[in-house]
Amino acid sequence: MTRIVLAILCLSLLYFAFRTIVFLRRFSELDGFVDELVKGGLSRRLYLKGKRGFSRIMYNLSVLAANLEEKELENQGLKDRLSVLLRNIPDGIALIDSKDRIKTVNPAFEGILFLKAANLAGKGLAESVNVMGLGSLINSARQGNAQVKETFSFNSKFIEITATPFSSAGRKQYAGQVVVFRDVTADRRIDEIRKDFVANVSHELKTPVTAIRGYVDTLLDGAMEDRQDLSRFLNVIGFQAGRMEQLIKDLIELSKIEFGAMAIEKKPVNLQEVVGRAVSLFEEKAAAKGIYLKKDISEECSIEADPGMLAQILTNLLDNAVKYTDTGGVVIRVRETDDWRCTLSVQDTGIGVPKKYIPRLGERFFRVDPSRSRELGGTGLGLAIVKHLVLAQGWKMHIDSDFGKGTTVRIYIN
Ligand code: ADP
């Protein structure tokens, strides 16, 4: 009997010892697992041996780890997408908290405002960015709890700043603002150019219209009775009408090129022929002024060009060269060059252009001497048209000029 009791006791002890070892092993496994969870290691899973008691706790912890890992991956994906957005948005963006302190900025912000993100964290936005009026813009967005937008000038640029207040998620309490900085300098310049252009066109048209009106009134008032006055005034009216006609033609030409409405059809051209035709248009005028007009075309050069555009370029350049030359003359050359296929140049020994004005040649309506240009029938658009036609064909233009000595316009044809 005692033996049986002893045997049962021994077996029980052995069983408990075995259970304790299993328990301790699983406990240590669980301990290690929880430890890893706390440190953020979410990829480990526990090996399950049942679905009750300890195993159930381990199973639930494994599910918890799997859920957390999934959430973590989702958050990471969200963060990555947000960071890609912030890095690639061309506008500068600053996020500020309820005390106007900078929380984060994107790379475009650094570029537009010449600031380093590393030096900004926690600083006040208005104090860090040297834009007068930014502080009051942020204040009015906060006080009105609405988006506020204004354009400021900063370092010779125009920056449009938009401040948008936001509340913390779930609560209605003001939590900060997203402030967006957009460089609108180019848009402003386009606006200015457009305004200048309209003013220039109106001015250019007003002068001949006023002159025509004046002469017509004088004729109607009785001057037409005198044959000499009649023919003189009609000539002036004809000249002014011609100016308007040329201006309108040039404007149409320019707008066709600028709006890309002109189809470019490049094909091999016979330079001797095209240049010869353009030169013949000005031979009479040159002879009347007593100046020479020569051409020197290399036989080696073969180019592709849009024939209409090339003819217009040559006409405008020769017109200027003959118009602004009173002694000496004009030579038009075509030569082979190493890096470009050919160079076409129109060289004159005329009045030239002061150095400071050379960069402005090719601007619409820019003239060194506006009244002289008008007297000679110029519209101030000839070189602008040439510049556009040259660019449209993928060529380059360069102007050299010595005031009082002459001008050379070179076109590099590829
Ligand atoms: P315009 O109708 O006034 O000639 P352009 O656009 O052809 O207009 O030229 C602009 C200005 O550039 C001219 O008014 C003139 O002052 C200057 N210019 C152009 N070509 C020459 C040249 N060959 N010699 C001297 N000045 C020139």
Side-chain angles (χ1 to χ4, degrees):
M1 184 67 180
T2 6
R3 272 194 193 161
I4 293 173
V5 171
L6 264 172
I8 290 172
L9 213 65
C10 276
L11 277 173
S12 302
L13 270 173
L14 271 173
Y15 175 73
F16 276 119
F18 170 72
R19 292 296 297 179
T20 312
I21 289 168
V22 168
F23 175 80
L24 284 175
R25 198 184 302 149
R26 301 202 77 186
F27 185 81
S28 119
E29 207 180 330
L30 184 66
D31 189 39
F33 179 68
V34 172
D35 231 29
E36 223 174 296
L37 267 189
V38 170
K39 286 181 192 141
L42 300 172
S43 53
R44 214 179 122 193
R45 301 286 175 268
L46 289 173
Y47 176 65
L48 302 177
K49 291 172 181 85
K51 284 234 162 171
R52 283 189 295 139
F54 225 118
S55 295
R56 193 171 169 72
I57 297 175
M58 291 169 96
Y59 170 76
N60 284 340
L61 277 173
S62 286
V63 172
L64 182 73
N67 287 346
L68 280 174
E69 191 179 24
E70 202 176 305
K71 282 264 169 319
E72 174 85 11
L73 285 174
E74 252 176 46
N75 280 342
Q76 195 51 50
L78 204 67
K79 262 194 207 162
D80 288 349
R81 288 197 292 274
L82 199 66
S83 137
V84 168
L85 267 178
L86 282 176
R87 264 188 282 122
N88 293 295
I89 284 178
D91 295 339
I93 297 176
L95 186 75
I96 56 171
D97 65 13
S98 57
K99 300 232 161 33
D100 299 348
R101 286 174 307 214
I102 299 171
K103 299 310 275 178
T104 187
V105 297
N106 69 341
F109 174 93
E110 299 178 84
I112 292 175
L113 297 156
F114 308 110
L115 289 168
K116 278 262 149 272
N119 308 329
L120 295 174
K123 291 194 180 155
L125 179 65
E127 295 84 69
S128 309
V129 175
N130 199 12
V131 173
M132 279 259 288
L134 175 60
S136 49
L137 179 93
I138 292 172
N139 279 341
S140 43
R142 185 184 27 234
Q143 279 155 15
N145 195 25
Q147 189 177 80
V148 181
K149 189 189 282 191
E150 217 178 303
T151 302
F152 297 91
S153 82
F154 169 77
N155 271 3
S156 67
K157 287 190 209 172
F158 289 100
I159 312 279
E160 180 191 83
I161 306 181
T162 311
T164 312
F166 62 87
S167 316
S168 44
R171 277 178 271 150
K172 290 236 160 107
Q173 213 177 350
Y174 170 76
Q177 299 188 28
V178 178
V179 188
V180 179
F181 298 77
R182 174 169 295 176
D183 187 346
V184 291
T185 318
D187 299 353
R188 278 277 177 125
R189 294 231 161 98
I190 289 171
D191 273 357
E192 272 163 25
I193 289 171
R194 201 173 293 141
K195 273 187 218 148
D196 279 0
F197 182 68
V198 172
N200 275 321
V201 172
S202 321
H203 179 73
E204 290 299 326
L205 285 173
K206 202 173 152 234
T207 321
V209 168
T210 313
I212 290 171
R213 217 201 138 103
Y215 285 110
V216 168
D217 285 348
T218 319
L219 284 174
L220 291 175
D221 280 350
M224 62 196 245
E225 306 303 335
D226 181 329
R227 294 285 306 169
Q228 244 184 352
D229 277 353
L230 179 65
S231 119
R232 194 156 52 90
F233 290 172
L234 282 178
N235 270 326
V236 180
I237 291 169
F239 175 76
Q240 296 295 354
R243 264 186 69 190
M244 285 205 301
E245 191 186 8
Q246 189 57 46
L247 179 67
I248 290 161
K249 266 192 204 156
D250 281 358
L251 283 171
I252 292 171
E253 181 81 16
L254 201 58
S255 71
K256 267 201 284 184
I257 317 166
E258 283 192 339
F259 289 115
M262 239 182 179
I264 304 170
E265 270 183 56
K266 274 194 176 186
K267 49 179 155 181
V269 289
N270 182 333
L271 274 169
Q272 293 284 354
E273 239 177 73
V274 183
V275 174
R277 234 178 288 134
V279 165
S280 67
L281 295 176
F282 296 93
E283 269 164 350
E284 208 181 302
K285 199 170 169 190
K289 288 184 90 176
I291 59 172
Y292 59 81
L293 178 54
K294 296 185 211 160
K295 63 180 169 73
D296 173 8
I297 316 292
S298 154
E299 294 291 340
E300 315 284 293
C301 265
S302 64
I303 65 158
E304 284 197 354
D306 181 297
M309 288 187 175
L310 180 62
Q312 178 80 68
I313 291 172
L314 294 172
T315 310
N316 288 13
L317 291 182
L318 286 172
D319 182 39
N320 278 346
V322 173
K323 210 160 58 179
Y324 297 110
T325 303
D326 296 328
T327 52
V330 178
V331 184
I332 178 163
R333 280 193 190 87
V334 180
R335 287 268 174 275
E336 262 204 332
T337 36
D338 295 340
D339 29 2
W340 291 76
R341 210 183 254 187
C342 290
T343 305
L344 183 152
S345 64
V346 177
Q347 185 176 21
D348 66 58
T349 55
I351 59 171
V353 175
K355 283 272 176 282
K356 64 175 174 182
Y357 293 130
I358 293 178
R360 298 200 58 191
L361 296 175
E363 264 177 39
R364 293 182 295 194
F365 295 113
F366 173 77
R367 292 135 149 166
V368 176
D369 180 350
S371 50
R372 177 167 180 162
S373 151
R374 283 194 196 104
E375 262 167 44
L376 297 169
T379 60
L381 293 174
L383 272 183
I385 291 173
V386 171
K387 192 171 111 182
H388 278 89
L389 291 175
V390 164
L391 285 177
Q393 291 182 91
W395 302 341
K396 271 192 187 171
M397 177 168 85
H398 181 82
I399 303 177
D400 264 335
S401 193
D402 256 337
F403 189 45
K405 290 192 178 155
T407 303
T408 306
V409 182
R410 283 191 187 81
I411 293 174
Y412 300 97
I413 302 173
N414 58 8

